[in-house]
Short mmCIF file of all heavy atoms in Angstrom, two decimals:
data_model
loop_
_atom_site.label_atom_id
_atom_site.label_comp_id
_atom_site.label_asym_id
_atom_site.label_seq_id
_atom_site.Cartn_x
_atom_site.Cartn_y
_atom_site.Cartn_z
N THR A 582 1.93 -1.00 10.54
CA THR A 582 2.79 -0.96 9.35
C THR A 582 2.83 -2.32 8.65
O THR A 582 2.75 -2.39 7.42
CB THR A 582 4.22 -0.50 9.75
OG1 THR A 582 4.13 0.76 10.40
CG2 THR A 582 5.11 -0.36 8.56
N ALA A 583 2.91 -3.38 9.42
CA ALA A 583 2.93 -4.73 8.83
C ALA A 583 1.61 -5.04 8.16
O ALA A 583 1.58 -5.59 7.04
CB ALA A 583 3.24 -5.76 9.92
N ASP A 584 0.49 -4.69 8.81
CA ASP A 584 -0.82 -4.92 8.20
C ASP A 584 -0.99 -4.11 6.92
O ASP A 584 -1.55 -4.59 5.93
CB ASP A 584 -1.95 -4.57 9.18
CG ASP A 584 -2.03 -5.54 10.35
OD1 ASP A 584 -1.45 -6.65 10.26
OD2 ASP A 584 -2.67 -5.20 11.35
N MET A 585 -0.50 -2.88 6.94
CA MET A 585 -0.60 -2.04 5.76
C MET A 585 0.24 -2.62 4.62
O MET A 585 -0.20 -2.61 3.46
CB MET A 585 -0.13 -0.62 6.11
CG MET A 585 -0.53 0.41 5.08
SD MET A 585 -0.15 2.10 5.61
CE MET A 585 -1.04 2.21 7.15
N HIS A 586 1.40 -3.14 4.95
CA HIS A 586 2.24 -3.77 3.93
C HIS A 586 1.53 -4.96 3.29
O HIS A 586 1.57 -5.13 2.07
CB HIS A 586 3.57 -4.20 4.56
CG HIS A 586 4.54 -4.76 3.59
ND1 HIS A 586 5.22 -3.99 2.68
CD2 HIS A 586 4.93 -6.05 3.36
CE1 HIS A 586 5.98 -4.76 1.94
NE2 HIS A 586 5.83 -6.03 2.33
N ARG A 587 0.85 -5.76 4.11
CA ARG A 587 0.09 -6.91 3.58
C ARG A 587 -1.04 -6.43 2.66
O ARG A 587 -1.31 -7.05 1.63
CB ARG A 587 -0.48 -7.74 4.73
CG ARG A 587 0.56 -8.58 5.43
CD ARG A 587 0.04 -9.53 6.51
NE ARG A 587 -1.37 -9.80 6.52
CZ ARG A 587 -2.24 -9.36 7.45
NH1 ARG A 587 -1.83 -8.60 8.44
NH2 ARG A 587 -3.51 -9.69 7.39
N LEU A 588 -1.71 -5.33 3.04
CA LEU A 588 -2.79 -4.81 2.19
C LEU A 588 -2.23 -4.28 0.88
O LEU A 588 -2.80 -4.53 -0.19
CB LEU A 588 -3.57 -3.72 2.92
CG LEU A 588 -4.70 -3.06 2.12
CD1 LEU A 588 -5.71 -4.10 1.62
CD2 LEU A 588 -5.39 -1.99 2.96
N ILE A 589 -1.12 -3.59 0.93
CA ILE A 589 -0.48 -3.10 -0.30
C ILE A 589 -0.16 -4.28 -1.22
O ILE A 589 -0.45 -4.25 -2.42
CB ILE A 589 0.77 -2.26 0.03
CG1 ILE A 589 0.37 -0.93 0.67
CG2 ILE A 589 1.62 -2.03 -1.22
CD1 ILE A 589 1.53 -0.17 1.31
N ASN A 590 0.43 -5.33 -0.66
CA ASN A 590 0.75 -6.52 -1.47
C ASN A 590 -0.50 -7.15 -2.06
O ASN A 590 -0.50 -7.58 -3.22
CB ASN A 590 1.52 -7.54 -0.63
CG ASN A 590 2.95 -7.13 -0.38
OD1 ASN A 590 3.49 -6.28 -1.07
ND2 ASN A 590 3.55 -7.72 0.63
N ALA A 591 -1.57 -7.20 -1.27
CA ALA A 591 -2.82 -7.78 -1.76
C ALA A 591 -3.39 -6.96 -2.92
O ALA A 591 -3.86 -7.51 -3.92
CB ALA A 591 -3.84 -7.88 -0.62
N LEU A 592 -3.34 -5.64 -2.80
CA LEU A 592 -3.84 -4.77 -3.87
C LEU A 592 -2.98 -4.90 -5.12
O LEU A 592 -3.49 -4.90 -6.24
CB LEU A 592 -3.89 -3.32 -3.40
CG LEU A 592 -4.95 -2.99 -2.35
CD1 LEU A 592 -4.77 -1.57 -1.83
CD2 LEU A 592 -6.35 -3.18 -2.91
N GLU A 593 -1.68 -5.02 -4.93
CA GLU A 593 -0.78 -5.16 -6.08
C GLU A 593 -0.96 -6.50 -6.78
O GLU A 593 -0.65 -6.62 -7.96
CB GLU A 593 0.68 -5.00 -5.63
CG GLU A 593 1.03 -3.57 -5.28
CD GLU A 593 2.45 -3.41 -4.76
OE1 GLU A 593 3.03 -4.40 -4.27
OE2 GLU A 593 2.95 -2.28 -4.84
N SER A 594 -1.47 -7.50 -6.07
CA SER A 594 -1.63 -8.83 -6.67
C SER A 594 -2.91 -8.95 -7.49
O SER A 594 -3.11 -9.95 -8.18
CB SER A 594 -1.59 -9.91 -5.60
OG SER A 594 -2.78 -9.89 -4.84
N LEU A 595 -3.78 -7.94 -7.42
CA LEU A 595 -5.01 -7.98 -8.23
C LEU A 595 -4.65 -7.85 -9.70
O LEU A 595 -3.56 -7.36 -10.05
CB LEU A 595 -5.94 -6.83 -7.81
CG LEU A 595 -6.57 -6.96 -6.43
CD1 LEU A 595 -7.34 -5.68 -6.08
CD2 LEU A 595 -7.48 -8.17 -6.34
N PRO A 596 -5.55 -8.28 -10.58
CA PRO A 596 -5.26 -8.20 -12.02
C PRO A 596 -4.85 -6.79 -12.46
O PRO A 596 -5.34 -5.80 -11.94
CB PRO A 596 -6.58 -8.62 -12.67
CG PRO A 596 -7.27 -9.44 -11.64
CD PRO A 596 -6.86 -8.86 -10.32
N LYS A 597 -3.94 -6.74 -13.39
CA LYS A 597 -3.44 -5.48 -13.93
C LYS A 597 -4.39 -4.99 -15.01
O LYS A 597 -5.16 -5.76 -15.54
CB LYS A 597 -2.03 -5.67 -14.50
CG LYS A 597 -1.05 -6.31 -13.54
CD LYS A 597 -0.85 -5.51 -12.27
CE LYS A 597 0.23 -6.10 -11.39
NZ LYS A 597 -0.19 -6.66 -10.15
N PRO A 598 -4.42 -3.77 -15.39
CA PRO A 598 -3.56 -2.69 -14.95
C PRO A 598 -4.07 -2.07 -13.65
O PRO A 598 -5.24 -2.20 -13.30
CB PRO A 598 -3.65 -1.68 -16.09
CG PRO A 598 -5.03 -1.84 -16.63
CD PRO A 598 -5.32 -3.33 -16.48
N ILE A 599 -3.15 -1.42 -12.96
CA ILE A 599 -3.50 -0.71 -11.73
C ILE A 599 -3.69 0.75 -12.12
O ILE A 599 -2.72 1.47 -12.37
CB ILE A 599 -2.39 -0.86 -10.67
CG1 ILE A 599 -2.21 -2.33 -10.33
CG2 ILE A 599 -2.71 -0.03 -9.45
CD1 ILE A 599 -1.03 -2.63 -9.41
N VAL A 600 -4.96 1.15 -12.20
CA VAL A 600 -5.28 2.52 -12.62
C VAL A 600 -6.40 3.06 -11.74
O VAL A 600 -7.00 2.34 -10.95
CB VAL A 600 -5.71 2.57 -14.10
CG1 VAL A 600 -4.56 2.16 -15.02
CG2 VAL A 600 -6.91 1.68 -14.35
N GLY A 601 -6.71 4.32 -11.92
CA GLY A 601 -7.85 4.95 -11.26
C GLY A 601 -7.83 4.82 -9.75
O GLY A 601 -6.85 5.13 -9.10
N GLY A 602 -8.93 4.31 -9.22
CA GLY A 602 -9.10 4.21 -7.78
C GLY A 602 -8.08 3.30 -7.12
O GLY A 602 -7.59 3.59 -6.02
N ARG A 603 -7.75 2.20 -7.78
CA ARG A 603 -6.73 1.30 -7.21
C ARG A 603 -5.38 1.99 -7.12
O ARG A 603 -4.66 1.84 -6.13
CB ARG A 603 -6.61 0.03 -8.04
CG ARG A 603 -7.68 -0.98 -7.71
CD ARG A 603 -7.59 -2.26 -8.51
NE ARG A 603 -6.28 -2.83 -8.63
CZ ARG A 603 -5.91 -3.59 -9.65
NH1 ARG A 603 -6.73 -3.84 -10.64
NH2 ARG A 603 -4.70 -4.10 -9.69
N ALA A 604 -5.04 2.75 -8.14
CA ALA A 604 -3.76 3.47 -8.14
C ALA A 604 -3.74 4.51 -7.02
O ALA A 604 -2.73 4.66 -6.33
CB ALA A 604 -3.52 4.12 -9.49
N ALA A 605 -4.85 5.20 -6.84
CA ALA A 605 -4.94 6.20 -5.77
C ALA A 605 -4.80 5.55 -4.41
O ALA A 605 -4.08 6.05 -3.53
CB ALA A 605 -6.26 6.97 -5.87
N ALA A 606 -5.47 4.43 -4.21
CA ALA A 606 -5.38 3.73 -2.93
C ALA A 606 -3.96 3.24 -2.68
O ALA A 606 -3.42 3.43 -1.59
CB ALA A 606 -6.36 2.55 -2.92
N LEU A 607 -3.34 2.64 -3.69
CA LEU A 607 -1.98 2.13 -3.52
C LEU A 607 -0.98 3.24 -3.23
O LEU A 607 -0.12 3.10 -2.36
CB LEU A 607 -1.54 1.35 -4.77
CG LEU A 607 -1.94 -0.10 -4.79
CD1 LEU A 607 -1.70 -0.71 -6.17
CD2 LEU A 607 -1.18 -0.88 -3.74
N GLY A 608 -1.08 4.33 -3.96
CA GLY A 608 -0.15 5.44 -3.75
C GLY A 608 -0.28 6.04 -2.36
O GLY A 608 0.72 6.31 -1.69
N THR A 609 -1.52 6.23 -1.92
CA THR A 609 -1.75 6.79 -0.59
C THR A 609 -1.29 5.83 0.50
O THR A 609 -0.63 6.24 1.46
CB THR A 609 -3.24 7.16 -0.42
OG1 THR A 609 -3.62 8.06 -1.47
CG2 THR A 609 -3.50 7.83 0.92
N LEU A 610 -1.63 4.56 0.36
CA LEU A 610 -1.20 3.57 1.35
C LEU A 610 0.33 3.47 1.40
O LEU A 610 0.91 3.36 2.50
CB LEU A 610 -1.80 2.20 1.04
CG LEU A 610 -3.27 2.04 1.38
CD1 LEU A 610 -3.81 0.75 0.77
CD2 LEU A 610 -3.49 2.05 2.88
N ALA A 611 0.98 3.52 0.25
CA ALA A 611 2.44 3.45 0.23
C ALA A 611 3.06 4.65 0.95
O ALA A 611 4.04 4.48 1.70
CB ALA A 611 2.95 3.36 -1.21
N ALA A 612 2.50 5.82 0.76
CA ALA A 612 3.02 7.02 1.42
C ALA A 612 2.82 6.94 2.94
O ALA A 612 3.73 7.25 3.71
CB ALA A 612 2.35 8.26 0.87
N ILE A 613 1.65 6.51 3.37
CA ILE A 613 1.37 6.36 4.80
C ILE A 613 2.28 5.29 5.40
O ILE A 613 2.85 5.46 6.48
CB ILE A 613 -0.10 6.03 5.06
CG1 ILE A 613 -1.00 7.20 4.64
CG2 ILE A 613 -0.34 5.70 6.53
CD1 ILE A 613 -2.48 6.86 4.62
N HIS A 614 2.43 4.18 4.69
CA HIS A 614 3.29 3.10 5.16
C HIS A 614 4.71 3.60 5.39
O HIS A 614 5.32 3.31 6.43
CB HIS A 614 3.29 1.96 4.13
CG HIS A 614 4.15 0.81 4.50
ND1 HIS A 614 5.46 0.71 4.08
CD2 HIS A 614 3.92 -0.29 5.26
CE1 HIS A 614 5.98 -0.39 4.55
NE2 HIS A 614 5.07 -1.02 5.28
N LYS A 615 5.23 4.35 4.45
CA LYS A 615 6.59 4.88 4.59
C LYS A 615 6.68 5.80 5.80
O LYS A 615 7.64 5.70 6.58
CB LYS A 615 7.02 5.61 3.32
CG LYS A 615 8.44 6.13 3.41
CD LYS A 615 8.92 6.69 2.10
CE LYS A 615 10.31 7.26 2.31
NZ LYS A 615 11.25 6.79 1.37
N ARG A 616 5.70 6.70 5.99
CA ARG A 616 5.72 7.61 7.14
C ARG A 616 5.70 6.83 8.44
O ARG A 616 6.43 7.14 9.38
CB ARG A 616 4.53 8.58 7.08
CG ARG A 616 4.70 9.63 6.02
CD ARG A 616 3.67 10.73 5.99
NE ARG A 616 2.51 10.66 6.80
CZ ARG A 616 1.26 10.86 6.37
NH1 ARG A 616 1.04 11.10 5.10
NH2 ARG A 616 0.25 10.83 7.20
N PHE A 617 4.84 5.82 8.54
CA PHE A 617 4.73 5.02 9.76
C PHE A 617 6.01 4.23 10.01
O PHE A 617 6.46 4.11 11.14
CB PHE A 617 3.54 4.06 9.69
CG PHE A 617 2.20 4.70 9.97
CD1 PHE A 617 2.05 6.07 10.08
CD2 PHE A 617 1.08 3.91 10.12
CE1 PHE A 617 0.81 6.64 10.35
CE2 PHE A 617 -0.16 4.46 10.39
CZ PHE A 617 -0.30 5.83 10.51
N ASP A 618 6.60 3.69 8.95
CA ASP A 618 7.82 2.91 9.09
C ASP A 618 8.97 3.79 9.59
O ASP A 618 9.71 3.40 10.50
CB ASP A 618 8.17 2.27 7.74
CG ASP A 618 9.20 1.17 7.86
OD1 ASP A 618 9.13 0.38 8.81
OD2 ASP A 618 10.08 1.11 6.98
N VAL A 619 9.11 4.97 9.02
CA VAL A 619 10.15 5.91 9.45
C VAL A 619 9.91 6.32 10.90
O VAL A 619 10.84 6.36 11.71
CB VAL A 619 10.20 7.14 8.51
CG1 VAL A 619 11.06 8.25 9.10
CG2 VAL A 619 10.71 6.73 7.14
N LEU A 620 8.67 6.61 11.24
CA LEU A 620 8.34 7.02 12.60
C LEU A 620 8.63 5.90 13.61
O LEU A 620 9.22 6.14 14.67
CB LEU A 620 6.88 7.46 12.70
CG LEU A 620 6.40 7.90 14.08
CD1 LEU A 620 7.25 9.03 14.64
CD2 LEU A 620 4.94 8.32 14.01
N ALA A 621 8.24 4.68 13.28
CA ALA A 621 8.49 3.55 14.18
C ALA A 621 9.99 3.38 14.41
O ALA A 621 10.42 3.12 15.54
CB ALA A 621 7.88 2.27 13.62
#
């Protein structure tokens, strides 16, 4: 969960706008992160 959070932050820090593939990756990672955090 911590590593995933770091990756999400790294992806969010890339130049804007966040669209297309980056948006899909961020949305999916955020959903997985939340599930793992709740489970932990």
Side-chain angles (χ1 to χ4, degrees):
T582 303
D584 291 343
M585 195 173 303
H586 184 73
R587 285 185 16 251
L588 178 57
I589 290 167
N590 286 342
L592 290 172
E593 288 177 338
S594 73
L595 291 173
K597 307 300 185 247
I599 299 173
V600 296
R603 279 180 45 207
L607 274 169
T609 304
L610 285 168
I613 295 169
H614 179 267
K615 182 173 177 129
R616 287 187 351 229
F617 281 9
D618 195 41
V619 168
L620 179 57

